[in-house]
mmCIF file of all heavy atoms in Angstrom:
data_model
loop_
_atom_site.group_PDB
_atom_site.id
_atom_site.type_symbol
_atom_site.label_atom_id
_atom_site.label_comp_id
_atom_site.label_asym_id
_atom_site.label_seq_id
_atom_site.Cartn_x
_atom_site.Cartn_y
_atom_site.Cartn_z
ATOM 1 N N LEU A 25 -10.069 -27.035 74.295
ATOM 2 C CA LEU A 25 -11.294 -27.828 74.204
ATOM 3 C C LEU A 25 -12.191 -27.653 75.427
ATOM 4 O O LEU A 25 -13.412 -27.679 75.314
ATOM 5 C CB LEU A 25 -10.911 -29.301 74.031
ATOM 6 C CG LEU A 25 -12.016 -30.258 73.594
ATOM 7 C CD1 LEU A 25 -12.553 -29.878 72.216
ATOM 8 C CD2 LEU A 25 -11.492 -31.695 73.572
ATOM 9 N N VAL A 26 -11.603 -27.476 76.586
ATOM 10 C CA VAL A 26 -12.434 -27.361 77.797
ATOM 11 C C VAL A 26 -12.748 -25.917 78.180
ATOM 12 O O VAL A 26 -13.495 -25.686 79.130
ATOM 13 C CB VAL A 26 -11.812 -28.090 79.020
ATOM 14 C CG1 VAL A 26 -11.645 -29.569 78.739
ATOM 15 C CG2 VAL A 26 -10.510 -27.442 79.451
ATOM 16 N N ALA A 27 -12.225 -24.953 77.443
ATOM 17 C CA ALA A 27 -12.455 -23.540 77.812
ATOM 18 C C ALA A 27 -13.947 -23.223 77.775
ATOM 19 O O ALA A 27 -14.630 -23.508 76.798
ATOM 20 C CB ALA A 27 -11.691 -22.622 76.862
ATOM 21 N N GLU A 28 -14.446 -22.652 78.833
ATOM 22 C CA GLU A 28 -15.876 -22.324 78.927
ATOM 23 C C GLU A 28 -16.180 -20.970 78.296
ATOM 24 O O GLU A 28 -17.327 -20.663 77.981
ATOM 25 C CB GLU A 28 -16.295 -22.258 80.399
ATOM 26 C CG GLU A 28 -16.161 -23.578 81.140
ATOM 27 C CD GLU A 28 -16.361 -23.382 82.640
ATOM 28 O OE1 GLU A 28 -17.243 -22.597 83.035
ATOM 29 O OE2 GLU A 28 -15.611 -24.003 83.411
ATOM 30 N N THR A 29 -15.177 -20.134 78.216
ATOM 31 C CA THR A 29 -15.385 -18.756 77.766
ATOM 32 C C THR A 29 -14.397 -18.447 76.658
ATOM 33 O O THR A 29 -13.246 -18.876 76.723
ATOM 34 C CB THR A 29 -15.119 -17.786 78.945
ATOM 35 O OG1 THR A 29 -15.868 -18.220 80.065
ATOM 36 C CG2 THR A 29 -15.517 -16.371 78.590
ATOM 37 N N ARG A 30 -14.851 -17.756 75.657
ATOM 38 C CA ARG A 30 -13.965 -17.371 74.560
ATOM 39 C C ARG A 30 -14.059 -15.882 74.305
ATOM 40 O O ARG A 30 -15.119 -15.279 74.495
ATOM 41 C CB ARG A 30 -14.342 -18.120 73.283
ATOM 42 C CG ARG A 30 -13.809 -19.516 73.260
ATOM 43 C CD ARG A 30 -14.369 -20.322 72.116
ATOM 44 N NE ARG A 30 -14.778 -21.633 72.633
ATOM 45 C CZ ARG A 30 -13.924 -22.629 72.861
ATOM 46 N NH1 ARG A 30 -12.647 -22.488 72.570
ATOM 47 N NH2 ARG A 30 -14.352 -23.768 73.356
ATOM 48 N N LEU A 31 -12.946 -15.345 73.860
ATOM 49 C CA LEU A 31 -12.877 -13.917 73.596
ATOM 50 C C LEU A 31 -12.552 -13.713 72.127
ATOM 51 O O LEU A 31 -11.683 -14.400 71.584
ATOM 52 C CB LEU A 31 -11.739 -13.336 74.463
ATOM 53 C CG LEU A 31 -11.597 -11.827 74.521
ATOM 54 C CD1 LEU A 31 -12.775 -11.206 75.272
ATOM 55 C CD2 LEU A 31 -10.284 -11.465 75.217
ATOM 56 N N GLY A 32 -13.262 -12.806 71.488
ATOM 57 C CA GLY A 32 -12.955 -12.514 70.090
ATOM 58 C C GLY A 32 -13.273 -11.067 69.783
ATOM 59 O O GLY A 32 -13.898 -10.376 70.601
ATOM 60 N N PRO A 33 -12.859 -10.612 68.609
ATOM 61 C CA PRO A 33 -13.123 -9.214 68.223
ATOM 62 C C PRO A 33 -14.607 -8.855 68.262
ATOM 63 O O PRO A 33 -14.963 -7.695 68.448
ATOM 64 C CB PRO A 33 -12.584 -9.132 66.792
ATOM 65 C CG PRO A 33 -11.647 -10.270 66.652
ATOM 66 C CD PRO A 33 -12.118 -11.344 67.581
ATOM 67 N N GLN A 34 -15.477 -9.858 68.105
ATOM 68 C CA GLN A 34 -16.923 -9.594 68.125
ATOM 69 C C GLN A 34 -17.417 -9.163 69.498
ATOM 70 O O GLN A 34 -18.551 -8.716 69.633
ATOM 71 C CB GLN A 34 -17.697 -10.830 67.640
ATOM 72 C CG GLN A 34 -17.788 -11.979 68.637
ATOM 73 C CD GLN A 34 -16.503 -12.815 68.732
ATOM 74 O OE1 GLN A 34 -15.600 -12.686 67.903
ATOM 75 N NE2 GLN A 34 -16.421 -13.668 69.737
ATOM 76 N N ASP A 35 -16.559 -9.293 70.513
ATOM 77 C CA ASP A 35 -16.977 -8.951 71.880
ATOM 78 C C ASP A 35 -16.751 -7.481 72.223
ATOM 79 O O ASP A 35 -17.073 -7.067 73.342
ATOM 80 C CB ASP A 35 -16.178 -9.792 72.889
ATOM 81 C CG ASP A 35 -16.497 -11.269 72.772
ATOM 82 O OD1 ASP A 35 -17.681 -11.597 72.587
ATOM 83 O OD2 ASP A 35 -15.556 -12.088 72.849
ATOM 84 N N PHE A 36 -16.185 -6.717 71.311
ATOM 85 C CA PHE A 36 -15.741 -5.384 71.708
ATOM 86 C C PHE A 36 -16.560 -4.238 71.129
ATOM 87 O O PHE A 36 -17.001 -4.275 69.980
ATOM 88 C CB PHE A 36 -14.280 -5.158 71.292
ATOM 89 C CG PHE A 36 -13.347 -6.225 71.801
ATOM 90 C CD1 PHE A 36 -12.355 -6.732 70.977
ATOM 91 C CD2 PHE A 36 -13.464 -6.718 73.092
ATOM 92 C CE1 PHE A 36 -11.496 -7.723 71.434
ATOM 93 C CE2 PHE A 36 -12.606 -7.714 73.563
ATOM 94 C CZ PHE A 36 -11.616 -8.215 72.728
ATOM 95 N N ILE A 37 -16.714 -3.216 71.972
ATOM 96 C CA ILE A 37 -17.201 -1.909 71.533
ATOM 97 C C ILE A 37 -16.031 -0.963 71.756
ATOM 98 O O ILE A 37 -15.477 -0.904 72.861
ATOM 99 C CB ILE A 37 -18.423 -1.455 72.372
ATOM 100 C CG1 ILE A 37 -19.559 -2.476 72.284
ATOM 101 C CG2 ILE A 37 -18.890 -0.070 71.920
ATOM 102 C CD1 ILE A 37 -20.691 -2.242 73.294
ATOM 103 N N TRP A 38 -15.652 -0.246 70.691
ATOM 104 C CA TRP A 38 -14.436 0.570 70.759
ATOM 105 C C TRP A 38 -14.791 2.047 70.907
ATOM 106 O O TRP A 38 -15.403 2.626 70.004
ATOM 107 C CB TRP A 38 -13.627 0.346 69.479
ATOM 108 C CG TRP A 38 -12.273 0.968 69.475
ATOM 109 C CD1 TRP A 38 -11.559 1.412 70.553
ATOM 110 C CD2 TRP A 38 -11.456 1.201 68.325
ATOM 111 N NE1 TRP A 38 -10.342 1.897 70.147
ATOM 112 C CE2 TRP A 38 -10.261 1.777 68.789
ATOM 113 C CE3 TRP A 38 -11.626 0.966 66.961
ATOM 114 C CZ2 TRP A 38 -9.236 2.136 67.919
ATOM 115 C CZ3 TRP A 38 -10.602 1.318 66.101
ATOM 116 C CH2 TRP A 38 -9.421 1.906 66.575
ATOM 117 N N PRO A 39 -14.430 2.657 72.047
ATOM 118 C CA PRO A 39 -14.717 4.085 72.238
ATOM 119 C C PRO A 39 -13.680 4.975 71.555
ATOM 120 O O PRO A 39 -12.476 4.709 71.631
ATOM 121 C CB PRO A 39 -14.644 4.265 73.763
ATOM 122 C CG PRO A 39 -13.887 3.098 74.291
ATOM 123 C CD PRO A 39 -13.787 2.050 73.224
ATOM 124 N N LEU A 40 -14.151 6.018 70.887
ATOM 125 C CA LEU A 40 -13.254 6.963 70.213
ATOM 126 C C LEU A 40 -13.587 8.387 70.657
ATOM 127 O O LEU A 40 -14.757 8.757 70.765
ATOM 128 C CB LEU A 40 -13.424 6.856 68.691
ATOM 129 C CG LEU A 40 -13.071 5.508 68.054
ATOM 130 C CD1 LEU A 40 -13.477 5.492 66.579
ATOM 131 C CD2 LEU A 40 -11.575 5.219 68.185
ATOM 132 N N PHE A 41 -12.554 9.172 70.892
ATOM 133 C CA PHE A 41 -12.733 10.579 71.251
ATOM 134 C C PHE A 41 -12.575 11.443 69.997
ATOM 135 O O PHE A 41 -11.660 11.236 69.203
ATOM 136 C CB PHE A 41 -11.693 11.004 72.296
ATOM 137 C CG PHE A 41 -11.861 10.292 73.612
ATOM 138 C CD1 PHE A 41 -10.896 9.406 74.073
ATOM 139 C CD2 PHE A 41 -12.996 10.496 74.386
ATOM 140 C CE1 PHE A 41 -11.056 8.742 75.286
ATOM 141 C CE2 PHE A 41 -13.170 9.830 75.601
ATOM 142 C CZ PHE A 41 -12.194 8.951 76.053
ATOM 143 N N ILE A 42 -13.459 12.424 69.872
ATOM 144 C CA ILE A 42 -13.443 13.254 68.671
ATOM 145 C C ILE A 42 -13.206 14.705 69.059
ATOM 146 O O ILE A 42 -13.716 15.183 70.082
ATOM 147 C CB ILE A 42 -14.804 13.233 67.931
ATOM 148 C CG1 ILE A 42 -15.569 11.952 68.198
ATOM 149 C CG2 ILE A 42 -14.618 13.454 66.453
ATOM 150 C CD1 ILE A 42 -17.049 12.178 68.076
ATOM 151 N N LYS A 43 -12.475 15.400 68.191
ATOM 152 C CA LYS A 43 -12.206 16.819 68.429
ATOM 153 C C LYS A 43 -12.246 17.548 67.089
ATOM 154 O O LYS A 43 -11.950 16.944 66.052
ATOM 155 C CB LYS A 43 -10.816 16.949 69.072
ATOM 156 C CG LYS A 43 -10.525 18.337 69.593
ATOM 157 C CD LYS A 43 -9.166 18.411 70.260
ATOM 158 C CE LYS A 43 -8.868 19.876 70.569
ATOM 159 N NZ LYS A 43 -7.524 20.063 71.105
ATOM 160 N N ASP A 44 -12.596 18.820 67.120
ATOM 161 C CA ASP A 44 -12.595 19.612 65.893
ATOM 162 C C ASP A 44 -11.195 19.664 65.301
ATOM 163 O O ASP A 44 -10.214 19.742 66.042
ATOM 164 C CB ASP A 44 -13.050 21.053 66.196
ATOM 165 C CG ASP A 44 -14.556 21.208 66.017
ATOM 166 O OD1 ASP A 44 -15.102 20.628 65.058
ATOM 167 O OD2 ASP A 44 -15.168 21.910 66.847
ATOM 168 N N GLY A 45 -11.109 19.662 63.979
ATOM 169 C CA GLY A 45 -9.806 19.789 63.335
ATOM 170 C C GLY A 45 -9.761 18.982 62.064
ATOM 171 O O GLY A 45 -10.769 18.430 61.610
ATOM 172 N N GLU A 46 -8.580 18.923 61.504
ATOM 173 C CA GLU A 46 -8.353 18.231 60.236
ATOM 174 C C GLU A 46 -7.100 17.383 60.429
ATOM 175 O O GLU A 46 -6.095 17.885 60.953
ATOM 176 C CB GLU A 46 -8.121 19.289 59.145
ATOM 177 C CG GLU A 46 -8.246 18.797 57.722
ATOM 178 C CD GLU A 46 -9.659 18.322 57.352
ATOM 179 O OE1 GLU A 46 -10.644 19.010 57.720
ATOM 180 O OE2 GLU A 46 -9.754 17.263 56.708
ATOM 181 N N ALA A 47 -7.174 16.116 60.046
ATOM 182 C CA ALA A 47 -6.026 15.206 60.174
ATOM 183 C C ALA A 47 -5.386 15.287 61.551
ATOM 184 O O ALA A 47 -4.168 15.253 61.698
ATOM 185 C CB ALA A 47 -4.996 15.494 59.073
ATOM 186 N N LEU A 48 -6.232 15.409 62.566
ATOM 187 C CA LEU A 48 -5.736 15.609 63.933
ATOM 188 C C LEU A 48 -5.733 14.304 64.715
ATOM 189 O O LEU A 48 -6.721 13.568 64.717
ATOM 190 C CB LEU A 48 -6.642 16.617 64.649
ATOM 191 C CG LEU A 48 -6.336 16.864 66.122
ATOM 192 C CD1 LEU A 48 -5.458 18.097 66.287
ATOM 193 C CD2 LEU A 48 -7.616 17.016 66.932
ATOM 194 N N ARG A 49 -4.600 14.042 65.364
ATOM 195 C CA ARG A 49 -4.507 12.920 66.319
ATOM 196 C C ARG A 49 -3.738 13.451 67.502
ATOM 197 O O ARG A 49 -2.541 13.681 67.411
ATOM 198 C CB ARG A 49 -3.786 11.722 65.699
ATOM 199 C CG ARG A 49 -4.425 11.201 64.415
ATOM 200 C CD ARG A 49 -3.760 9.917 63.939
ATOM 201 N NE ARG A 49 -4.198 8.820 64.750
ATOM 202 C CZ ARG A 49 -5.110 7.917 64.357
ATOM 203 N NH1 ARG A 49 -5.639 7.976 63.153
ATOM 204 N NH2 ARG A 49 -5.461 6.944 65.147
ATOM 205 N N GLU A 50 -4.434 13.622 68.604
ATOM 206 C CA GLU A 50 -3.846 14.294 69.760
ATOM 207 C C GLU A 50 -3.876 13.350 70.962
ATOM 208 O O GLU A 50 -4.941 12.897 71.368
ATOM 209 C CB GLU A 50 -4.709 15.529 70.039
ATOM 210 C CG GLU A 50 -4.317 16.370 71.202
ATOM 211 C CD GLU A 50 -5.298 17.545 71.347
ATOM 212 O OE1 GLU A 50 -5.050 18.596 70.738
ATOM 213 O OE2 GLU A 50 -6.317 17.389 72.049
ATOM 214 N N PRO A 51 -2.714 13.031 71.527
ATOM 215 C CA PRO A 51 -2.695 12.073 72.640
ATOM 216 C C PRO A 51 -3.455 12.576 73.857
ATOM 217 O O PRO A 51 -3.453 13.771 74.150
ATOM 218 C CB PRO A 51 -1.199 11.935 72.972
ATOM 219 C CG PRO A 51 -0.453 12.598 71.883
ATOM 220 C CD PRO A 51 -1.377 13.527 71.168
ATOM 221 N N VAL A 52 -4.097 11.654 74.559
ATOM 222 C CA VAL A 52 -4.726 11.958 75.848
ATOM 223 C C VAL A 52 -3.704 11.579 76.918
ATOM 224 O O VAL A 52 -3.332 10.409 77.034
ATOM 225 C CB VAL A 52 -6.018 11.134 76.036
ATOM 226 C CG1 VAL A 52 -6.641 11.390 77.411
ATOM 227 C CG2 VAL A 52 -7.015 11.442 74.923
ATOM 228 N N ALA A 53 -3.224 12.567 77.677
ATOM 229 C CA ALA A 53 -2.067 12.348 78.560
ATOM 230 C C ALA A 53 -2.290 11.203 79.555
ATOM 231 O O ALA A 53 -1.392 10.394 79.783
ATOM 232 C CB ALA A 53 -1.738 13.636 79.303
#
Side-chain angles (χ1 to χ4, degrees):
L25 194 62
V26 300
E28 297 170 40
T29 309
R30 280 170 226 280
L31 189 69
Q34 75 282 348
D35 295 320
F36 306 138
I37 302 169
W38 188 17
L40 298 172
F41 295 114
I42 333 153
K43 190 178 172 185
D44 268 320
E46 196 65 43
L48 175 96
R49 303 187 76 103
E50 179 181 271
V52 177

